[in-house]
Amino acid sequence: MPGFVLEFTVGILLVAVVLLVLQFGRIRRLRQALVAAEADRSHEAHLAAELLRSSTDLICVTTLPDGKTRFNACWESLLGYRPEELSPERIEEIVHADDREPLREARRMLESCDGAVGVESRVIARDGTLRWIAWNWTRSPSGDLLCQVGRDITDIKHWQGELEESTQELRQRNEDLADALRSARQATKLKSEFVANTSHEIRTPMNAVVGMTELLLTTPLNEEQREYAEMLRDSAKSLLSILNDLLEFSRLEARSASFETEQFDIREAVSAVIHLLYPRAMASNLTLSCFVSPDLPEMLVGDARRLRQVLLNLVSNAVKFTDSGKVVARVGIVGETKERIVVRFEVEDSGIGIAPEDRERIFEPFIQVEGSATRKRGGTGLGLAICRQIVESLGGSIGVISKPDSGSVFWFTMPFGPQEKRVAEPEKELEFSADALVGVRILLVEDNAINQHLTRRLLEKEGCVVGIAASGRLALEVLKQEPFDLVLMDVQMPDMDGLTATIEIRKSEAGTRRIPIVALTANAMDGDREQCFTAGMDDYLSKPVSRESLRRCLLRWAGRPASVQT
Ligand code: ADP
């Protein structure tokens, strides 16, 4: 063989060997990749099997289109069914009959969409118990796998049921409470109306008793007769004050009491109370004094009438329950902002004091400390209850510090508005002579014969000329025929009441002189006063009216002033 042929053959062989080696390398790499892929697949299969085994959710996977289905172990642990006894048809059988249709509907929806469908149904376990399952069904993007995952929500459903029951119960209880509150409010309102009506009925004859006694006292009497008449007047007045207390308390309790806001001089309000009780303190040999802190502004804005009422009650108690020594009232600021000034009032006495166990009780209605001391001093046990209602209604608080046999300090706080910028011009005060009412023509509109007689006598004593009308309708007639300077108008009357009569009078006056009309009524509820003013009345006198308050009112509206003071 020629040499070049040999070389050529060797060359070919070498190339073939190289190619073979290269091919082997590729085959080895391919084998390695195949082995790795196999390992991955078996790892994934292992993971999937582990996931199915350990899941606490029910899992059911169906391959399509052959419909082969696998169930995980949870079906057995949760429901008692072994995977081999289950099939998609069997699932439908173990679902509660009422929930099958929603389940079918969910399946239909899943067939028509690619996403997930959720549905809840009750499933009957092998032992017959029911479990609530929340299903989540999905289809693989390639459409060949249907996966159903069911989570046990029986406990959640149970709690939900309990929660709904409690919510329902609470709702019911709220409604019952609201009903009870409505009934209680209604009952309190009825009670307060009853007290108001009773008080009206009692006040009418009381008006006669007080008034007639006052008239009696203006006639010549011997000493014994005078003493009896004075006792009669004092008893009638104290009966009236008990009646007023009862009425006031029932109004405050029914929350039908009204509160006013006005600008007032705080020092004047405090000293008015002190002056009123000065004679009583003097009679008991007590020193009565008051200190108002210089920090307090001259004027405050609040309910001056209610403040005086509370202070009067406390100072009058202090005087009542102190046999010797002193009663001191102190007033100072305890808190101040731009909008609010909180004032603390203290009434200190050196009296009988209050035992610790009684200090809270005495603010309850009708509570009086047992013992001869209280009996001897009288009272209704309503004063402090009224004070507490007023103070708390106005946003303050009230209490007592006391030591038996050494004395007490009753205190309360009350918020007020600060002084308004512009202080109103003081009203010009008119001065009247003793005969300022002589010849003043007054029309008394009153249906009750005793009251007619009584008020007529009081008016005649002032020198007034009195005309009488027994009803609102008659008053309208009389006013058409005769001129009068003022009308004293009873409110409750048969035929035509005082409010209607006033409205009619005001209509008939249009453009002409306006006659002052003063309500004279035994109605004592808050709101009556407003009704009178709304009807067109100018002032309001509550029966039984004393000679003094009647005179003051008449002077204001029909008196002839002697001079004008500025
Ligand atoms: P009243 O004075 O009409 O009995 P209150 O409600 O004003 O009713 O007072 C209730 C009770 O509190 C009184 O009966 C009395 O026992 C006691 N009390 C009130 N103020 C004082 C005081 N300053 N000192 C001692 N006891 C008092």
Side-chain angles (χ1 to χ4, degrees), residues 200 207 443-446 451-452 455-456 459 487-493 517-523 532 537 539-546 549-550:
H200 178 263
N207 184 27
L443 176 62
L444 172 64
V445 191
E446 166 70 77
N451 284 343
Q452 268 179 18
T455 316
R456 167 189 234 145
L459 291 168
V487 179
L488 270 182
M489 179 79 82
D490 188 15
V491 173
Q492 282 189 353
M493 284 179 295
I517 305 178
V518 175
L520 186 61
T521 168
N523 280 7
C532 292
M537 296 192 185
D539 210 341
Y540 180 100
L541 279 171
S542 152
K543 289 181 193 174
V545 59
S546 70
S549 56
L550 180 65

PDB file of all heavy atoms in Angstrom, residues 200 207 443-446 451-452 455-456 459 487-493 517-523 532 537 539-546 549-550:
ATOM      1  N   HIS A 200    -102.256  73.009  91.163  1.00  0.00           N
ATOM      2  CA  HIS A 200    -103.186  74.040  90.712  1.00  0.00           C
ATOM      3  C   HIS A 200    -104.443  74.016  91.571  1.00  0.00           C
ATOM      4  O   HIS A 200    -104.929  75.039  92.042  1.00  0.00           O
ATOM      5  CB  HIS A 200    -103.545  73.803  89.243  1.00  0.00           C
ATOM      6  CG  HIS A 200    -104.525  74.784  88.719  1.00  0.00           C
ATOM      7  ND1 HIS A 200    -105.866  74.520  88.655  1.00  0.00           N
ATOM      8  CD2 HIS A 200    -104.377  76.045  88.278  1.00  0.00           C
ATOM      9  CE1 HIS A 200    -106.500  75.577  88.185  1.00  0.00           C
ATOM     10  NE2 HIS A 200    -105.607  76.509  87.930  1.00  0.00           N
ATOM     11  N   ASN A 207    -104.779  80.292  97.671  1.00  0.00           N
ATOM     12  CA  ASN A 207    -104.793  81.698  97.308  1.00  0.00           C
ATOM     13  C   ASN A 207    -105.796  82.427  98.188  1.00  0.00           C
ATOM     14  O   ASN A 207    -105.506  83.488  98.755  1.00  0.00           O
ATOM     15  CB  ASN A 207    -105.212  81.778  95.827  1.00  0.00           C
ATOM     16  CG  ASN A 207    -105.165  83.173  95.287  1.00  0.00           C
ATOM     17  OD1 ASN A 207    -104.394  83.990  95.774  1.00  0.00           O
ATOM     18  ND2 ASN A 207    -105.985  83.439  94.280  1.00  0.00           N
ATOM     19  N   LEU A 443    -109.489  95.697  84.872  1.00  0.00           N
ATOM     20  CA  LEU A 443    -110.504  94.684  84.579  1.00  0.00           C
ATOM     21  C   LEU A 443    -109.981  93.348  85.092  1.00  0.00           C
ATOM     22  O   LEU A 443    -108.947  92.854  84.639  1.00  0.00           O
ATOM     23  CB  LEU A 443    -110.768  94.592  83.066  1.00  0.00           C
ATOM     24  CG  LEU A 443    -111.752  93.486  82.680  1.00  0.00           C
ATOM     25  CD1 LEU A 443    -113.137  93.722  83.289  1.00  0.00           C
ATOM     26  CD2 LEU A 443    -111.884  93.367  81.165  1.00  0.00           C
ATOM     27  N   LEU A 444    -110.684  92.785  86.070  1.00  0.00           N
ATOM     28  CA  LEU A 444    -110.285  91.497  86.638  1.00  0.00           C
ATOM     29  C   LEU A 444    -111.097  90.396  85.951  1.00  0.00           C
ATOM     30  O   LEU A 444    -112.325  90.378  86.046  1.00  0.00           O
ATOM     31  CB  LEU A 444    -110.566  91.521  88.151  1.00  0.00           C
ATOM     32  CG  LEU A 444    -110.380  90.196  88.878  1.00  0.00           C
ATOM     33  CD1 LEU A 444    -108.937  89.728  88.828  1.00  0.00           C
ATOM     34  CD2 LEU A 444    -110.817  90.331  90.343  1.00  0.00           C
ATOM     35  N   VAL A 445    -110.396  89.520  85.237  1.00  0.00           N
ATOM     36  CA  VAL A 445    -111.093  88.434  84.529  1.00  0.00           C
ATOM     37  C   VAL A 445    -110.850  87.158  85.330  1.00  0.00           C
ATOM     38  O   VAL A 445    -109.745  86.620  85.356  1.00  0.00           O
ATOM     39  CB  VAL A 445    -110.567  88.276  83.085  1.00  0.00           C
ATOM     40  CG1 VAL A 445    -111.476  87.347  82.292  1.00  0.00           C
ATOM     41  CG2 VAL A 445    -110.463  89.626  82.404  1.00  0.00           C
ATOM     42  N   GLU A 446    -111.856  86.703  86.031  1.00  0.00           N
ATOM     43  CA  GLU A 446    -111.691  85.585  86.990  1.00  0.00           C
ATOM     44  C   GLU A 446    -113.034  84.895  87.180  1.00  0.00           C
ATOM     45  O   GLU A 446    -114.054  85.549  87.380  1.00  0.00           O
ATOM     46  CB  GLU A 446    -111.163  86.182  88.309  1.00  0.00           C
ATOM     47  CG  GLU A 446    -111.218  85.316  89.525  1.00  0.00           C
ATOM     48  CD  GLU A 446    -110.234  84.160  89.487  1.00  0.00           C
ATOM     49  OE1 GLU A 446    -109.029  84.380  89.721  1.00  0.00           O
ATOM     50  OE2 GLU A 446    -110.689  83.038  89.186  1.00  0.00           O
ATOM     51  N   ASN A 451    -111.949  84.031  94.640  1.00  0.00           N
ATOM     52  CA  ASN A 451    -110.791  84.766  94.115  1.00  0.00           C
ATOM     53  C   ASN A 451    -111.182  86.143  93.609  1.00  0.00           C
ATOM     54  O   ASN A 451    -110.424  87.110  93.760  1.00  0.00           O
ATOM     55  CB  ASN A 451    -110.118  83.968  92.994  1.00  0.00           C
ATOM     56  CG  ASN A 451    -109.299  82.823  93.562  1.00  0.00           C
ATOM     57  OD1 ASN A 451    -108.988  82.815  94.752  1.00  0.00           O
ATOM     58  ND2 ASN A 451    -108.995  81.849  92.719  1.00  0.00           N
ATOM     59  N   GLN A 452    -112.373  86.212  92.988  1.00  0.00           N
ATOM     60  CA  GLN A 452    -112.867  87.523  92.519  1.00  0.00           C
ATOM     61  C   GLN A 452    -112.921  88.490  93.701  1.00  0.00           C
ATOM     62  O   GLN A 452    -112.385  89.589  93.650  1.00  0.00           O
ATOM     63  CB  GLN A 452    -114.297  87.367  91.986  1.00  0.00           C
ATOM     64  CG  GLN A 452    -114.416  87.089  90.529  1.00  0.00           C
ATOM     65  CD  GLN A 452    -115.873  86.935  90.135  1.00  0.00           C
ATOM     66  OE1 GLN A 452    -116.796  87.353  90.864  1.00  0.00           O
ATOM     67  NE2 GLN A 452    -116.093  86.331  88.986  1.00  0.00           N
ATOM     68  N   THR A 455    -109.261  89.269  95.200  1.00  0.00           N
ATOM     69  CA  THR A 455    -108.401  90.138  94.395  1.00  0.00           C
ATOM     70  C   THR A 455    -109.026  91.535  94.295  1.00  0.00           C
ATOM     71  O   THR A 455    -108.315  92.539  94.340  1.00  0.00           O
ATOM     72  CB  THR A 455    -108.176  89.522  92.997  1.00  0.00           C
ATOM     73  OG1 THR A 455    -107.914  88.141  93.150  1.00  0.00           O
ATOM     74  CG2 THR A 455    -107.012  90.156  92.283  1.00  0.00           C
ATOM     75  N   ARG A 456    -110.362  91.557  94.179  1.00  0.00           N
ATOM     76  CA  ARG A 456    -111.024  92.868  94.120  1.00  0.00           C
ATOM     77  C   ARG A 456    -110.695  93.669  95.372  1.00  0.00           C
ATOM     78  O   ARG A 456    -110.337  94.841  95.291  1.00  0.00           O
ATOM     79  CB  ARG A 456    -112.540  92.659  93.993  1.00  0.00           C
ATOM     80  CG  ARG A 456    -113.282  93.959  94.237  1.00  0.00           C
ATOM     81  CD  ARG A 456    -114.754  93.737  94.339  1.00  0.00           C
ATOM     82  NE  ARG A 456    -115.407  94.607  93.402  1.00  0.00           N
ATOM     83  CZ  ARG A 456    -116.488  94.329  92.740  1.00  0.00           C
ATOM     84  NH1 ARG A 456    -117.072  93.178  92.908  1.00  0.00           N
ATOM     85  NH2 ARG A 456    -117.023  95.190  91.928  1.00  0.00           N
ATOM     86  N   LEU A 459    -107.175  94.944  95.304  1.00  0.00           N
ATOM     87  CA  LEU A 459    -107.051  96.055  94.346  1.00  0.00           C
ATOM     88  C   LEU A 459    -107.681  97.320  94.901  1.00  0.00           C
ATOM     89  O   LEU A 459    -107.133  98.418  94.772  1.00  0.00           O
ATOM     90  CB  LEU A 459    -107.727  95.666  93.015  1.00  0.00           C
ATOM     91  CG  LEU A 459    -107.033  94.572  92.206  1.00  0.00           C
ATOM     92  CD1 LEU A 459    -107.930  94.083  91.082  1.00  0.00           C
ATOM     93  CD2 LEU A 459    -105.711  95.071  91.645  1.00  0.00           C
ATOM     94  N   VAL A 487    -105.512  94.748  82.359  1.00  0.00           N
ATOM     95  CA  VAL A 487    -106.358  93.558  82.540  1.00  0.00           C
ATOM     96  C   VAL A 487    -105.588  92.536  83.374  1.00  0.00           C
ATOM     97  O   VAL A 487    -104.433  92.231  83.081  1.00  0.00           O
ATOM     98  CB  VAL A 487    -106.716  92.910  81.178  1.00  0.00           C
ATOM     99  CG1 VAL A 487    -107.578  91.667  81.390  1.00  0.00           C
ATOM    100  CG2 VAL A 487    -107.415  93.891  80.274  1.00  0.00           C
ATOM    101  N   LEU A 488    -106.229  92.057  84.438  1.00  0.00           N
ATOM    102  CA  LEU A 488    -105.663  90.942  85.210  1.00  0.00           C
ATOM    103  C   LEU A 488    -106.409  89.708  84.748  1.00  0.00           C
ATOM    104  O   LEU A 488    -107.615  89.609  84.958  1.00  0.00           O
ATOM    105  CB  LEU A 488    -105.927  91.149  86.702  1.00  0.00           C
ATOM    106  CG  LEU A 488    -104.901  91.909  87.515  1.00  0.00           C
ATOM    107  CD1 LEU A 488    -105.336  91.955  88.966  1.00  0.00           C
ATOM    108  CD2 LEU A 488    -103.521  91.282  87.411  1.00  0.00           C
ATOM    109  N   MET A 489    -105.714  88.780  84.113  1.00  0.00           N
ATOM    110  CA  MET A 489    -106.401  87.705  83.390  1.00  0.00           C
ATOM    111  C   MET A 489    -106.114  86.331  83.984  1.00  0.00           C
ATOM    112  O   MET A 489    -104.958  85.879  83.989  1.00  0.00           O
ATOM    113  CB  MET A 489    -105.921  87.747  81.932  1.00  0.00           C
ATOM    114  CG  MET A 489    -106.492  86.710  81.028  1.00  0.00           C
ATOM    115  SD  MET A 489    -108.140  87.134  80.495  1.00  0.00           S
ATOM    116  CE  MET A 489    -107.789  88.263  79.151  1.00  0.00           C
ATOM    117  N   ASP A 490    -107.154  85.685  84.500  1.00  0.00           N
ATOM    118  CA  ASP A 490    -107.014  84.289  84.924  1.00  0.00           C
ATOM    119  C   ASP A 490    -106.780  83.462  83.651  1.00  0.00           C
ATOM    120  O   ASP A 490    -107.228  83.858  82.565  1.00  0.00           O
ATOM    121  CB  ASP A 490    -108.298  83.838  85.634  1.00  0.00           C
ATOM    122  CG  ASP A 490    -108.143  82.461  86.260  1.00  0.00           C
ATOM    123  OD1 ASP A 490    -106.995  82.009  86.394  1.00  0.00           O
ATOM    124  OD2 ASP A 490    -109.168  81.841  86.590  1.00  0.00           O
ATOM    125  N   VAL A 491    -106.085  82.322  83.757  1.00  0.00           N
ATOM    126  CA  VAL A 491    -105.810  81.555  82.532  1.00  0.00           C
ATOM    127  C   VAL A 491    -106.840  80.452  82.293  1.00  0.00           C
ATOM    128  O   VAL A 491    -107.427  80.349  81.234  1.00  0.00           O
ATOM    129  CB  VAL A 491    -104.376  80.979  82.549  1.00  0.00           C
ATOM    130  CG1 VAL A 491    -104.153  80.041  81.373  1.00  0.00           C
ATOM    131  CG2 VAL A 491    -103.365  82.120  82.474  1.00  0.00           C
ATOM    132  N   GLN A 492    -107.092  79.658  83.337  1.00  0.00           N
ATOM    133  CA  GLN A 492    -108.057  78.562  83.153  1.00  0.00           C
ATOM    134  C   GLN A 492    -109.459  79.024  83.509  1.00  0.00           C
ATOM    135  O   GLN A 492    -109.752  79.311  84.673  1.00  0.00           O
ATOM    136  CB  GLN A 492    -107.673  77.392  84.052  1.00  0.00           C
ATOM    137  CG  GLN A 492    -106.526  76.611  83.479  1.00  0.00           C
ATOM    138  CD  GLN A 492    -106.247  75.332  84.228  1.00  0.00           C
ATOM    139  OE1 GLN A 492    -106.834  75.067  85.273  1.00  0.00           O
ATOM    140  NE2 GLN A 492    -105.334  74.547  83.711  1.00  0.00           N
ATOM    141  N   MET A 493    -110.301  79.117  82.487  1.00  0.00           N
ATOM    142  CA  MET A 493    -111.689  79.545  82.724  1.00  0.00           C
ATOM    143  C   MET A 493    -112.580  78.784  81.768  1.00  0.00           C
ATOM    144  O   MET A 493    -112.161  78.430  80.669  1.00  0.00           O
ATOM    145  CB  MET A 493    -111.820  81.047  82.435  1.00  0.00           C
ATOM    146  CG  MET A 493    -111.251  81.928  83.511  1.00  0.00           C
ATOM    147  SD  MET A 493    -111.431  83.658  83.079  1.00  0.00           S
ATOM    148  CE  MET A 493    -110.397  83.801  81.666  1.00  0.00           C
ATOM    149  N   ILE A 517    -101.719  93.358  79.740  1.00  0.00           N
ATOM    150  CA  ILE A 517    -102.467  92.204  80.263  1.00  0.00           C
ATOM    151  C   ILE A 517    -101.521  91.376  81.136  1.00  0.00           C
ATOM    152  O   ILE A 517    -100.436  90.996  80.697  1.00  0.00           O
ATOM    153  CB  ILE A 517    -103.020  91.312  79.123  1.00  0.00           C
ATOM    154  CG1 ILE A 517    -103.873  92.144  78.169  1.00  0.00           C
ATOM    155  CG2 ILE A 517    -103.819  90.141  79.685  1.00  0.00           C
ATOM    156  CD1 ILE A 517    -104.430  91.375  76.970  1.00  0.00           C
ATOM    157  N   VAL A 518    -101.939  91.152  82.382  1.00  0.00           N
ATOM    158  CA  VAL A 518    -101.105  90.383  83.308  1.00  0.00           C
ATOM    159  C   VAL A 518    -101.813  89.077  83.640  1.00  0.00           C
ATOM    160  O   VAL A 518    -102.970  89.078  84.055  1.00  0.00           O
ATOM    161  CB  VAL A 518    -100.859  91.191  84.610  1.00  0.00           C
ATOM    162  CG1 VAL A 518    -100.104  90.350  85.633  1.00  0.00           C
ATOM    163  CG2 VAL A 518    -100.110  92.476  84.302  1.00  0.00           C
ATOM    164  N   ALA A 519    -101.116  87.963  83.417  1.00  0.00           N
ATOM    165  CA  ALA A 519    -101.715  86.657  83.739  1.00  0.00           C
ATOM    166  C   ALA A 519    -101.754  86.495  85.247  1.00  0.00           C
ATOM    167  O   ALA A 519    -100.809  86.834  85.953  1.00  0.00           O
ATOM    168  CB  ALA A 519    -100.867  85.554  83.131  1.00  0.00           C
ATOM    169  N   LEU A 520    -102.874  85.993  85.722  1.00  0.00           N
ATOM    170  CA  LEU A 520    -103.019  85.748  87.158  1.00  0.00           C
ATOM    171  C   LEU A 520    -103.464  84.288  87.237  1.00  0.00           C
ATOM    172  O   LEU A 520    -104.620  83.975  87.005  1.00  0.00           O
ATOM    173  CB  LEU A 520    -104.111  86.683  87.691  1.00  0.00           C
ATOM    174  CG  LEU A 520    -104.352  86.707  89.181  1.00  0.00           C
ATOM    175  CD1 LEU A 520    -103.107  87.155  89.911  1.00  0.00           C
ATOM    176  CD2 LEU A 520    -105.496  87.636  89.512  1.00  0.00           C
ATOM    177  N   THR A 521    -102.509  83.415  87.486  1.00  0.00           N
ATOM    178  CA  THR A 521    -102.861  82.004  87.357  1.00  0.00           C
ATOM    179  C   THR A 521    -102.240  81.124  88.431  1.00  0.00           C
ATOM    180  O   THR A 521    -101.185  81.436  88.962  1.00  0.00           O
ATOM    181  CB  THR A 521    -102.416  81.470  85.968  1.00  0.00           C
ATOM    182  OG1 THR A 521    -102.517  80.063  85.980  1.00  0.00           O
ATOM    183  CG2 THR A 521    -101.009  81.853  85.639  1.00  0.00           C
ATOM    184  N   ALA A 522    -102.949  80.040  88.708  1.00  0.00           N
ATOM    185  CA  ALA A 522    -102.438  79.079  89.685  1.00  0.00           C
ATOM    186  C   ALA A 522    -101.581  78.024  88.992  1.00  0.00           C
ATOM    187  O   ALA A 522    -100.978  77.205  89.648  1.00  0.00           O
ATOM    188  CB  ALA A 522    -103.597  78.414  90.414  1.00  0.00           C
ATOM    189  N   ASN A 523    -101.534  78.055  87.677  1.00  0.00           N
ATOM    190  CA  ASN A 523    -100.666  77.103  86.961  1.00  0.00           C
ATOM    191  C   ASN A 523     -99.231  77.424  87.298  1.00  0.00           C
ATOM    192  O   ASN A 523     -98.816  78.558  87.180  1.00  0.00           O
ATOM    193  CB  ASN A 523    -100.830  77.250  85.451  1.00  0.00           C
ATOM    194  CG  ASN A 523    -102.054  76.543  84.971  1.00  0.00           C
ATOM    195  OD1 ASN A 523    -102.835  76.052  85.794  1.00  0.00           O
ATOM    196  ND2 ASN A 523    -102.244  76.505  83.684  1.00  0.00           N
ATOM    197  N   CYS A 532     -98.154  82.215  78.133  1.00  0.00           N
ATOM    198  CA  CYS A 532     -98.826  83.492  78.380  1.00  0.00           C
ATOM    199  C   CYS A 532     -98.199  84.583  77.502  1.00  0.00           C
ATOM    200  O   CYS A 532     -98.905  85.373  76.878  1.00  0.00           O
ATOM    201  CB  CYS A 532     -98.711  83.892  79.845  1.00  0.00           C
ATOM    202  SG  CYS A 532     -99.658  82.806  80.905  1.00  0.00           S
ATOM    203  N   MET A 537     -99.528  88.282  76.430  1.00  0.00           N
ATOM    204  CA  MET A 537     -99.591  88.911  77.755  1.00  0.00           C
ATOM    205  C   MET A 537     -98.263  89.612  78.045  1.00  0.00           C
ATOM    206  O   MET A 537     -97.247  89.317  77.427  1.00  0.00           O
ATOM    207  CB  MET A 537     -99.874  87.854  78.816  1.00  0.00           C
ATOM    208  CG  MET A 537    -101.235  87.198  78.626  1.00  0.00           C
ATOM    209  SD  MET A 537    -101.662  86.237  80.047  1.00  0.00           S
ATOM    210  CE  MET A 537    -103.167  85.467  79.520  1.00  0.00           C
ATOM    211  N   ASP A 539     -97.103  90.269  81.453  1.00  0.00           N
ATOM    212  CA  ASP A 539     -96.474  89.876  82.710  1.00  0.00           C
ATOM    213  C   ASP A 539     -97.222  88.684  83.285  1.00  0.00           C
ATOM    214  O   ASP A 539     -98.245  88.263  82.718  1.00  0.00           O
ATOM    215  CB  ASP A 539     -96.497  91.069  83.696  1.00  0.00           C
ATOM    216  CG  ASP A 539     -95.308  91.024  84.643  1.00  0.00           C
ATOM    217  OD1 ASP A 539     -94.708  89.942  84.773  1.00  0.00           O
ATOM    218  OD2 ASP A 539     -94.981  92.060  85.253  1.00  0.00           O
ATOM    219  N   TYR A 540     -96.741  88.206  84.408  1.00  0.00           N
ATOM    220  CA  TYR A 540     -97.231  86.936  84.904  1.00  0.00           C
ATOM    221  C   TYR A 540     -97.202  86.970  86.422  1.00  0.00           C
ATOM    222  O   TYR A 540     -96.164  87.259  87.017  1.00  0.00           O
ATOM    223  CB  TYR A 540     -96.259  85.880  84.367  1.00  0.00           C
ATOM    224  CG  TYR A 540     -96.523  84.466  84.737  1.00  0.00           C
ATOM    225  CD1 TYR A 540     -97.159  83.615  83.835  1.00  0.00           C
ATOM    226  CD2 TYR A 540     -96.128  83.953  85.961  1.00  0.00           C
ATOM    227  CE1 TYR A 540     -97.382  82.288  84.147  1.00  0.00           C
ATOM    228  CE2 TYR A 540     -96.349  82.638  86.284  1.00  0.00           C
ATOM    229  CZ  TYR A 540     -96.971  81.803  85.377  1.00  0.00           C
ATOM    230  OH  TYR A 540     -97.181  80.488  85.683  1.00  0.00           O
ATOM    231  N   LEU A 541     -98.332  86.744  87.049  1.00  0.00           N
ATOM    232  CA  LEU A 541     -98.369  86.649  88.511  1.00  0.00           C
ATOM    233  C   LEU A 541     -98.885  85.266  88.864  1.00  0.00           C
ATOM    234  O   LEU A 541     -99.923  84.846  88.359  1.00  0.00           O
ATOM    235  CB  LEU A 541     -99.311  87.694  89.103  1.00  0.00           C
ATOM    236  CG  LEU A 541     -98.764  89.114  89.258  1.00  0.00           C
ATOM    237  CD1 LEU A 541     -99.887  90.052  89.649  1.00  0.00           C
ATOM    238  CD2 LEU A 541     -97.657  89.151  90.299  1.00  0.00           C
ATOM    239  N   SER A 542     -98.137  84.571  89.728  1.00  0.00           N
ATOM    240  CA  SER A 542     -98.556  83.213  90.062  1.00  0.00           C
ATOM    241  C   SER A 542     -99.318  83.244  91.386  1.00  0.00           C
ATOM    242  O   SER A 542     -98.897  83.882  92.348  1.00  0.00           O
ATOM    243  CB  SER A 542     -97.295  82.376  90.094  1.00  0.00           C
ATOM    244  OG  SER A 542     -97.442  81.322  90.937  1.00  0.00           O
ATOM    245  N   LYS A 543    -100.480  82.569  91.417  1.00  0.00           N
ATOM    246  CA  LYS A 543    -101.320  82.559  92.616  1.00  0.00           C
ATOM    247  C   LYS A 543    -100.723  81.617  93.653  1.00  0.00           C
ATOM    248  O   LYS A 543    -100.138  80.618  93.265  1.00  0.00           O
ATOM    249  CB  LYS A 543    -102.717  82.051  92.266  1.00  0.00           C
ATOM    250  CG  LYS A 543    -103.539  82.989  91.441  1.00  0.00           C
ATOM    251  CD  LYS A 543    -104.878  82.320  91.220  1.00  0.00           C
ATOM    252  CE  LYS A 543    -105.680  83.011  90.148  1.00  0.00           C
ATOM    253  NZ  LYS A 543    -106.906  82.260  89.842  1.00  0.00           N
ATOM    254  N   PRO A 544    -100.868  81.770  94.936  1.00  0.00           N
ATOM    255  CA  PRO A 544    -101.582  82.904  95.494  1.00  0.00           C
ATOM    256  C   PRO A 544    -100.693  84.146  95.461  1.00  0.00           C
ATOM    257  O   PRO A 544     -99.544  84.090  95.888  1.00  0.00           O
ATOM    258  CB  PRO A 544    -101.844  82.464  96.928  1.00  0.00           C
ATOM    259  CG  PRO A 544    -100.818  81.431  97.219  1.00  0.00           C
ATOM    260  CD  PRO A 544    -100.413  80.825  95.938  1.00  0.00           C
ATOM    261  N   VAL A 545    -101.245  85.226  94.976  1.00  0.00           N
ATOM    262  CA  VAL A 545    -100.437  86.423  94.819  1.00  0.00           C
ATOM    263  C   VAL A 545    -100.496  87.249  96.108  1.00  0.00           C
ATOM    264  O   VAL A 545    -101.558  87.374  96.729  1.00  0.00           O
ATOM    265  CB  VAL A 545    -100.933  87.221  93.583  1.00  0.00           C
ATOM    266  CG1 VAL A 545    -102.368  87.608  93.701  1.00  0.00           C
ATOM    267  CG2 VAL A 545    -100.065  88.414  93.329  1.00  0.00           C
ATOM    268  N   SER A 546     -99.335  87.712  96.529  1.00  0.00           N
ATOM    269  CA  SER A 546     -99.330  88.500  97.770  1.00  0.00           C
ATOM    270  C   SER A 546     -99.628  89.951  97.416  1.00  0.00           C
ATOM    271  O   SER A 546     -99.473  90.378  96.265  1.00  0.00           O
ATOM    272  CB  SER A 546     -97.971  88.390  98.438  1.00  0.00           C
ATOM    273  OG  SER A 546     -97.038  89.078  97.655  1.00  0.00           O
ATOM    274  N   SER A 549     -96.513  91.662  95.838  1.00  0.00           N
ATOM    275  CA  SER A 549     -96.140  91.401  94.436  1.00  0.00           C
ATOM    276  C   SER A 549     -97.194  91.938  93.482  1.00  0.00           C
ATOM    277  O   SER A 549     -96.877  92.389  92.375  1.00  0.00           O
ATOM    278  CB  SER A 549     -95.890  89.917  94.204  1.00  0.00           C
ATOM    279  OG  SER A 549     -97.002  89.168  94.577  1.00  0.00           O
ATOM    280  N   LEU A 550     -98.455  91.953  93.932  1.00  0.00           N
ATOM    281  CA  LEU A 550     -99.524  92.516  93.093  1.00  0.00           C
ATOM    282  C   LEU A 550     -99.272  94.017  92.910  1.00  0.00           C
ATOM    283  O   LEU A 550     -99.313  94.542  91.795  1.00  0.00           O
ATOM    284  CB  LEU A 550    -100.887  92.273  93.754  1.00  0.00           C
ATOM    285  CG  LEU A 550    -102.089  92.815  92.997  1.00  0.00           C
ATOM    286  CD1 LEU A 550    -102.265  92.107  91.667  1.00  0.00           C
ATOM    287  CD2 LEU A 550    -103.376  92.674  93.812  1.00  0.00           C
TER     288      LEU A 550
END
